Structures are given as C-alpha cells and as structure tokens.
Amino acid sequence: MAAKRFCCLFVLSLLSGNVVATTSAAADWPAWRYNAARSATSPDAIPETLSLQWIRQLAPPKPAWPEDPRLVFDGSYEPIVVGETLFLGSAQNDSVTAFDTHTGAERWKFFAEGPVRFAPVSSENRIYFGSDDGCIYCLANESGKLLWKFKAAPAARRVIGNDRMSSVLPIRGGPVLADGKLYFTVGVWPFEGTFLYWLDLQKIASGTAPESAFGVVTLTDMTPQGYLVESQGNLFIPCGRATVGLFDIEAEQIAPLAYDSRGLTDYFVTASENWLFHGQRVIDLETKAMLPINAPRPVSDGSKFYIAQGDNLVAADILKQPEPKPAKGNRSAAAPPFKASWFIKAKQIEDALGTISAARFQPGELTVDIKAGHRVYGRLGNAVYAAEPPTAGQPAKVTWATVIDGTPTSLLAADDRLFVSTAEGQLLCFGAEKTLARIYPPQEQGNISAIAGQQRITDFPIRQAVETLPDRNGFCLVWGSEDKWLKPLLEETQL
C-alpha cells in the first residue's frame, strides 16, 4: 500500500553477492543500533556541523508495558536507513513506511495486521519485520511490495493485549540477521508458549517456501521481550527483567547462562566481542563472570564503551580497568575503582549551545546513544550533541549541539545525516546543508481530524443485523461505536 503526501510547510530553521549478508554498505544503518550485536557503532562519520533539514510529526508512541520502564522496548520510534531511504515501523497504525532521507517525502507505506513494535532489519534490498499479528514480513526496499509472509503463530486466535488486537503469540523478540538466517521469537507468556524461530533466507531466495525453510525451539520458562542480539555465534534473547537466554547457533540449542539480574537489568541487551551488556551489568562470556562495572545501556566498540554517569559522558576500556583488590581474611575482594579513558561534563554540552538554543534549553537526563566515525552522539534534556575524544594533546570536546522542540529519545547516523526521534512522535533529520527546514503536517492527527469533521449520516440497523446472527450469546468487540448503538445491541442479544 502506498500513499503520497504533497502538502508541506517551510520555515526557517533556528536549530544549529550473498542474499543475506549482514555487512552494510557505507553510511547505512540497517538494523536497530546498527548491527546484529546492537553496538550502536558505525565506522562512517557524518558532517561535523548539522542543520535541521525536515520534520515529520507522527502519532506519539504508546508502549506495550508503560507501567515498567525496564520493559519499554517500544517507547520510541526506531528507524533504520539503507541508501537514501529511511524505514520506520509503527505500533500506532500497524505499518512500515519508507521516507526519502533527503526530503522527508513518503515513498510508500505497508500495513501489517497488528502493531509493529520493533525496528525492521535490512539486507540485499529486502526489509524484514515482525508484528503483533504473529507474522514475519519480507518487503522489497524500493517499492514496499510484499515478497513473502511467514505465519509463526500456529493458531489464528486473537486477543486484546496491551490495549490492541493481537495474536496470542505476537512477535516480541526483535528480528536479527546472523549467518544467513533471520532469528526472532514469538509469544509472551510461557503458559501460552514462547518459541525461538529462524528462517533460512538463502533457501527462500532459491525458491523454497518460508513454511519449509524454518527451524524452531521451545523457550522453556522464558518470557522474551526486546531485541535479539548475535555475537560470535551466540544468540542472546532478552527476557525483560530476567536473565538473558543464550542460544548456541551452531548446536541449535539453548545453552546455560547464569548471573545476578536483580534490580539493574531490563530489555536492553548488547554484545561486544567477549562481553555481554545487560541493563547495567557486564558479563564476561568466556568466564561467565559478572564484572565489577556498572555500564548502563552503553555504546560499545570492541573493548571500549561509552556511557553516561550522572552529569558526565564517560569513555572507558574494559581491558584497562584495575584488577579487584585481593580478599583479606573474612573480607571478600573489593571492587576496584572505575577508570575512565576520557570524559566530558554536561556543562560543556550546555556551553556549546548557540545563543538561541541556550535560551530554549530544558535540562534533563544525559545519555550516550550512538558512535559514528570517531564522534559519539547523545542527548541532554531537549538538546542533542556530538563529542569527540582527545587528539594531539587536546582534551575531549563537544563539537556540535542544538535543542529541539520535544524530548529526544533515539538517534541514528546514516547517509551523512543525523536522525532524531522524540517522545512526542516527531522524526527530525539534520544534515550539512544550511536550508529552509521542511515541516510536514501531522499525518495521523490530520486524518483523524478530517474524519471527525465529516457529517455522519449512517444509522446502523442494529436490530436487523442481530436478526441475522445464528446465536445471540457470546462476546462482542465494539470498535469506535457511538453510544446510541450500545443500548439496542444489549437489549437484542445475550452478550
């Protein structure tokens, strides 16, 4: 399904060979947090100075589990970029939409049959994504044409879950590409069944139907919630607040992995070489030991990682951390002091804002979100910033900062641009060109207003409709009905 938008408003910006290869072309960002390990680190730099190019206003995100921040894996729009196209999944209108990265114009839109809560993943001109309808979809990047659909949920039973209609076995393990296969999980509750699936994309590309090109294992006592992670032949399955599940890809079986997950873990999992990061925990995958380091939601690059600690952006190296002090008598070994490679204070980010931005700055949480080239990018309140490490005797510094109208929640860098999502549902694009920013009118809100403004002349004949039913007992879902229809519906049935 495709739709074109032609109406826009211009304002002056005040803001300163293998079909399943996972290697991305230069300047792409083909998966959530860039790659299968979810490192959020791209080797491709973007321009140092950025200006607002365009803004899209979408419906504000509504996560599945808003009551617990540790389970809010879908609290922000999480786009990916391939070439000059940005792909955006939406749990608000059950769609994936393609936008032109340069202009923000909509190229196509495809609708699934349930919320799309996870970012798509792309390879070889295909995008793959899952939905709460229990299906995996494969679309052509250029056109949005449906190439195939795999129904993972063995039954068609639907329920009202997380305030939406969904399969009893929704896709709740964000898809990841590894070794020519697409991995994902279905199901939420063990008593209903939770499963890890994988689809052999080479077989499918050769003509095999998806229903004949999959593998599956039961996830006993696991509640998958979050993006799957692959690193060095290991597949990690986030389970919300519980310990991460480990799947040995070569052996095709669940492997043991135990550590203390109480209090400091959540849906967020990433891996880098021999280390697993879960919430604030760091686990050595060789020894299975938990390291005495708190690294909340890091950006990782080999043994190096970047985090926010209070009012400081901190860069550190796992291999350069001090050894624990040996145990003495009845005392256990003391945790060593944390050693930073370099750091930047939040005040430096504030100082880097221009006069206009500084006047509009609203303080808030400091985060580190991505690394592109040698710079790291993050958020501070309603500000977005870039910082780079010390060079040639010069200290680390903030190279660019600006503020936006809203609360930034997610960043990615691709196609020489920086893309920012906000809690209010905005999607912003920053680039090197100094230009008039293109502001598109709200899509979902505009459509809803137009429908609400229409005169309603339909008076649905409830009694006549009820007479056609074979049985007046049971349950009924009333979707968007006027109150005047409810009384005759209840009077004429045994619902």
Side-chain angles (χ1 to χ4, degrees):
M1 300 183 185
K4 293 183 179 179
R5 306 281 180 183
F6 297 98
C7 180
C8 59
L9 172 69
F10 290 89
V11 300
L12 179 63
S13 169
L14 297 178
L15 308 176
S16 312
N18 184 331
V19 299
V20 289
T22 55
T23 339
S24 62
D28 286 351
W29 193 281
W32 182 68
R33 289 178 61 89
Y34 184 70
N35 53 16
R38 315 300 190 182
S39 69
T41 294
S42 167
D44 299 299
I46 61 175
E48 179 176 334
T49 303
L50 302 168
S51 298
L52 184 65
Q53 306 294 300
W54 52 263
I55 299 178
R56 280 275 183 182
Q57 176 63 62
L58 309 170
K62 294 182 179 179
W65 310 106
E67 64 276 6
D68 191 340
R70 292 178 294 172
L71 294 177
V72 183
F73 53 83
D74 55 346
S76 173
Y77 286 107
E78 299 287 356
I80 66 170
V81 171
V82 179
E84 296 180 358
T85 304
L86 179 146
F87 302 96
L88 184 73
S90 172
Q92 319 319 312
N93 63 10
D94 308 347
S95 72
V96 170
T97 307
F99 297 104
D100 186 299
T101 56
H102 290 229
T103 66
E106 183 179 302
R107 290 182 166 172
W108 54 257
K109 185 189 294 285
F110 178 91
F111 289 94
E113 296 180 18
V116 180
R117 298 191 182 278
F118 295 94
V121 59
S122 180
S123 178
E124 294 296 320
N125 298 317
R126 305 281 192 271
I127 66 166
Y128 308 92
F129 67 93
S131 166
D132 273 6
D133 62 11
C135 296
I136 288 287
Y137 296 80
C138 173
L139 310 181
N141 280 13
E142 281 295 315
S143 63
K145 177 184 177 181
L146 177 65
L147 300 178
W148 52 261
K149 174 182 174 180
F150 176 73
K151 185 177 179 181
R157 186 156 61 98
R158 296 295 186 98
V159 296
I160 298 178
N162 307 121
D163 296 328
R164 298 294 304 278
M165 184 67 75
S166 70
S167 167
V168 71
L169 295 175
I171 307 294
R172 287 296 174 87
V176 65
L177 278 168
D179 294 337
K181 296 180 176 66
L182 182 73
Y183 293 86
F184 57 96
T185 71
V186 301
V188 177
W189 308 112
F191 67 86
E192 292 280 7
T194 55
F195 308 91
L196 170 67
Y197 278 85
W198 59 94
L199 289 164
D200 191 321
L201 300 184
Q202 282 186 317
K203 288 184 178 180
I204 296 173
S206 299
T208 303
E211 292 76 16
S212 301
F214 75 91
V216 60
V217 297
T218 300
L219 301 176
T220 305
D221 296 328
M222 287 192 195
T223 56
Q225 300 275 351
Y227 287 87
L228 301 188
V229 175
E230 188 277 334
S231 180
Q232 299 186 334
N234 293 315
L235 186 73
F236 300 99
I237 305 169
C239 295
R241 295 164 294 192
T243 302
V244 168
L246 173 60
F247 180 75
D248 187 315
I249 289 178
E250 183 177 3
E252 294 187 351
Q253 64 183 20
I254 300 296
L257 178 62
Y259 56 91
D260 183 5
S261 64
R262 291 174 298 178
L264 297 177
T265 53
D266 55 17
Y267 75 89
F268 184 95
V269 176
T270 181
S272 183
E273 296 183 350
N274 295 324
W275 301 282
L276 173 70
F277 299 89
H278 181 198
Q280 297 185 28
R281 306 293 197 192
V282 184
I283 297 95
D284 187 319
L285 293 173
E286 288 188 353
T287 64
K288 301 296 190 293
M290 192 163 60
L291 303 184
I293 301 171
N294 275 352
R297 302 189 179 186
V299 171
S300 57
D301 187 4
S303 64
K304 299 184 177 73
F305 62 94
Y306 307 85
I307 58 174
Q309 282 192 334
D311 291 332
N312 295 315
L313 181 170
V314 177
D317 191 325
I318 292 177
L319 297 179
K320 296 182 179 179
Q321 295 303 304
E323 293 293 330
K325 296 180 180 180
K328 290 184 178 180
N330 295 327
R331 295 182 180 179
S332 58
F338 179 77
K339 181 180 179 182
S341 302
W342 55 269
F343 67 93
I344 283 177
K345 293 183 176 295
K347 183 64 166 59
Q348 293 174 254
I349 299 171
E350 294 182 44
D351 292 342
L353 295 170
T355 304
I356 296 177
S357 289
R360 298 166 53 217
F361 173 66
Q362 297 175 2
E365 181 185 11
L366 173 67
T367 69
V368 183
D369 292 273
I370 63 172
K371 181 173 181 280
H374 66 288
R375 298 189 189 95
V376 294
Y377 295 79
R379 301 166 278 136
L380 176 64
N382 70 331
V384 182
Y385 70 88
E388 62 183 33
T391 54
Q394 297 297 316
K397 61 181 180 180
V398 178
T399 58
W400 171 81
T402 191
V403 298
I404 65 173
D405 293 325
T407 306
T409 53
S410 178
L411 311 178
L412 74 84
D415 191 28
D416 285 338
R417 286 162 172 74
L418 180 71
F419 300 91
V420 181
S421 301
T422 75
E424 295 78 17
Q426 286 188 329
L427 179 63
L428 302 90
C429 172
F430 292 87
E433 183 181 359
K434 294 185 179 297
T435 184
L436 296 176
R438 179 175 294 189
I439 314 298
Y440 287 86
Q443 286 185 310
E444 287 87 350
Q445 294 177 2
N447 293 342
I448 292 172
S449 299
I451 294 172
Q454 295 176 358
Q455 182 180 5
R456 298 183 180 182
I457 59 175
T458 302
D459 187 7
F460 190 76
I462 291 291
R463 290 179 174 85
Q464 291 91 321
V466 169
E467 289 176 358
T468 67
L469 297 176
D471 188 346
R472 300 190 182 191
N473 298 293
F475 298 89
C476 176
L477 172 65
V478 180
W479 193 304
S481 171
E482 294 183 3
D483 291 344
K484 66 180 182 180
W485 294 346
L486 296 180
K487 184 177 180 180
L489 179 64
L490 295 174
E491 289 176 346
E492 300 294 326
T493 66
Q494 300 299 317
L495 298 176

mmCIF file of all heavy atoms in Angstrom, residues 233-248:
data_model
loop_
_atom_site.group_PDB
_atom_site.id
_atom_site.type_symbol
_atom_site.label_atom_id
_atom_site.label_comp_id
_atom_site.label_asym_id
_atom_site.label_seq_id
_atom_site.Cartn_x
_atom_site.Cartn_y
_atom_site.Cartn_z
ATOM 1 N N GLY A 233 28.677 -16.209 17.208
ATOM 2 C CA GLY A 233 27.988 -17.490 17.212
ATOM 3 C C GLY A 233 27.004 -17.689 18.345
ATOM 4 O O GLY A 233 26.391 -18.751 18.457
ATOM 5 N N ASN A 234 26.853 -16.696 19.186
ATOM 6 C CA ASN A 234 25.891 -16.754 20.291
ATOM 7 C C ASN A 234 24.695 -15.864 19.985
ATOM 8 O O ASN A 234 24.858 -14.729 19.503
ATOM 9 C CB ASN A 234 26.532 -16.294 21.602
ATOM 10 C CG ASN A 234 27.607 -17.245 22.082
ATOM 11 O OD1 ASN A 234 27.425 -18.459 22.075
ATOM 12 N ND2 ASN A 234 28.745 -16.689 22.490
ATOM 13 N N LEU A 235 23.513 -16.360 20.252
ATOM 14 C CA LEU A 235 22.303 -15.569 20.114
ATOM 15 C C LEU A 235 21.763 -15.303 21.517
ATOM 16 O O LEU A 235 21.536 -16.239 22.298
ATOM 17 C CB LEU A 235 21.261 -16.317 19.294
ATOM 18 C CG LEU A 235 19.989 -15.524 18.966
ATOM 19 C CD1 LEU A 235 20.293 -14.464 17.908
ATOM 20 C CD2 LEU A 235 18.881 -16.448 18.480
ATOM 21 N N PHE A 236 21.574 -14.031 21.832
ATOM 22 C CA PHE A 236 21.101 -13.636 23.161
ATOM 23 C C PHE A 236 19.640 -13.202 23.063
ATOM 24 O O PHE A 236 19.272 -12.412 22.193
ATOM 25 C CB PHE A 236 21.968 -12.519 23.721
ATOM 26 C CG PHE A 236 23.418 -12.901 23.856
ATOM 27 C CD1 PHE A 236 24.343 -12.513 22.898
ATOM 28 C CD2 PHE A 236 23.848 -13.683 24.919
ATOM 29 C CE1 PHE A 236 25.673 -12.877 22.998
ATOM 30 C CE2 PHE A 236 25.176 -14.049 25.032
ATOM 31 C CZ PHE A 236 26.095 -13.651 24.072
ATOM 32 N N ILE A 237 18.832 -13.717 23.979
ATOM 33 C CA ILE A 237 17.394 -13.490 23.964
ATOM 34 C C ILE A 237 17.004 -12.673 25.194
ATOM 35 O O ILE A 237 16.983 -13.195 26.317
ATOM 36 C CB ILE A 237 16.632 -14.826 23.962
ATOM 37 C CG1 ILE A 237 17.100 -15.710 22.797
ATOM 38 C CG2 ILE A 237 15.127 -14.587 23.889
ATOM 39 C CD1 ILE A 237 16.608 -17.136 22.872
ATOM 40 N N PRO A 238 16.723 -11.378 25.033
ATOM 41 C CA PRO A 238 16.299 -10.572 26.184
ATOM 42 C C PRO A 238 14.977 -11.080 26.735
ATOM 43 O O PRO A 238 14.067 -11.421 25.983
ATOM 44 C CB PRO A 238 16.142 -9.165 25.596
ATOM 45 C CG PRO A 238 16.854 -9.197 24.286
ATOM 46 C CD PRO A 238 16.770 -10.601 23.801
ATOM 47 N N CYS A 239 14.882 -11.122 28.038
ATOM 48 C CA CYS A 239 13.658 -11.573 28.711
ATOM 49 C C CYS A 239 13.197 -10.529 29.705
ATOM 50 O O CYS A 239 12.877 -10.828 30.862
ATOM 51 C CB CYS A 239 13.877 -12.920 29.382
ATOM 52 S SG CYS A 239 14.215 -14.265 28.224
ATOM 53 N N GLY A 240 13.226 -9.262 29.274
ATOM 54 C CA GLY A 240 12.793 -8.183 30.154
ATOM 55 C C GLY A 240 13.706 -8.054 31.350
ATOM 56 O O GLY A 240 14.913 -7.897 31.225
ATOM 57 N N ARG A 241 13.140 -8.205 32.545
ATOM 58 C CA ARG A 241 13.903 -8.022 33.778
ATOM 59 C C ARG A 241 14.679 -9.273 34.170
ATOM 60 O O ARG A 241 15.533 -9.230 35.055
ATOM 61 C CB ARG A 241 12.952 -7.638 34.908
ATOM 62 C CG ARG A 241 12.282 -6.292 34.699
ATOM 63 C CD ARG A 241 11.082 -6.107 35.586
ATOM 64 N NE ARG A 241 10.002 -7.035 35.245
ATOM 65 C CZ ARG A 241 8.767 -6.933 35.712
ATOM 66 N NH1 ARG A 241 8.459 -5.945 36.518
ATOM 67 N NH2 ARG A 241 7.850 -7.814 35.376
ATOM 68 N N ALA A 242 14.400 -10.410 33.505
ATOM 69 C CA ALA A 242 15.047 -11.670 33.877
ATOM 70 C C ALA A 242 16.379 -11.839 33.155
ATOM 71 O O ALA A 242 16.754 -11.050 32.284
ATOM 72 C CB ALA A 242 14.122 -12.845 33.548
ATOM 73 N N THR A 243 17.102 -12.890 33.513
ATOM 74 C CA THR A 243 18.382 -13.206 32.890
ATOM 75 C C THR A 243 18.195 -13.448 31.397
ATOM 76 O O THR A 243 17.200 -14.019 30.959
ATOM 77 C CB THR A 243 18.978 -14.471 33.539
ATOM 78 O OG1 THR A 243 19.113 -14.232 34.940
ATOM 79 C CG2 THR A 243 20.329 -14.804 32.959
ATOM 80 N N VAL A 244 19.163 -13.010 30.610
ATOM 81 C CA VAL A 244 19.134 -13.209 29.166
ATOM 82 C C VAL A 244 19.252 -14.698 28.840
ATOM 83 O O VAL A 244 20.011 -15.436 29.465
ATOM 84 C CB VAL A 244 20.299 -12.433 28.507
ATOM 85 C CG1 VAL A 244 20.492 -12.835 27.053
ATOM 86 C CG2 VAL A 244 20.052 -10.935 28.612
ATOM 87 N N GLY A 245 18.484 -15.152 27.846
ATOM 88 C CA GLY A 245 18.609 -16.518 27.358
ATOM 89 C C GLY A 245 19.738 -16.610 26.342
ATOM 90 O O GLY A 245 19.976 -15.672 25.570
ATOM 91 N N LEU A 246 20.454 -17.735 26.325
ATOM 92 C CA LEU A 246 21.585 -17.938 25.407
ATOM 93 C C LEU A 246 21.286 -19.121 24.492
ATOM 94 O O LEU A 246 20.944 -20.211 24.963
ATOM 95 C CB LEU A 246 22.865 -18.187 26.206
ATOM 96 C CG LEU A 246 24.109 -18.586 25.392
ATOM 97 C CD1 LEU A 246 24.485 -17.502 24.396
ATOM 98 C CD2 LEU A 246 25.282 -18.866 26.342
ATOM 99 N N PHE A 247 21.424 -18.909 23.174
ATOM 100 C CA PHE A 247 21.201 -19.952 22.182
ATOM 101 C C PHE A 247 22.475 -20.141 21.378
ATOM 102 O O PHE A 247 23.017 -19.180 20.815
ATOM 103 C CB PHE A 247 20.047 -19.562 21.260
ATOM 104 C CG PHE A 247 19.733 -20.569 20.192
ATOM 105 C CD1 PHE A 247 19.061 -21.742 20.497
ATOM 106 C CD2 PHE A 247 20.101 -20.340 18.885
ATOM 107 C CE1 PHE A 247 18.752 -22.667 19.498
ATOM 108 C CE2 PHE A 247 19.804 -21.250 17.878
ATOM 109 C CZ PHE A 247 19.129 -22.425 18.188
ATOM 110 N N ASP A 248 22.988 -21.378 21.350
ATOM 111 C CA ASP A 248 24.168 -21.724 20.574
ATOM 112 C C ASP A 248 23.729 -21.947 19.126
ATOM 113 O O ASP A 248 23.030 -22.912 18.819
ATOM 114 C CB ASP A 248 24.810 -22.991 21.140
ATOM 115 C CG ASP A 248 26.134 -23.316 20.480
ATOM 116 O OD1 ASP A 248 26.223 -23.252 19.235
ATOM 117 O OD2 ASP A 248 27.092 -23.660 21.196
#
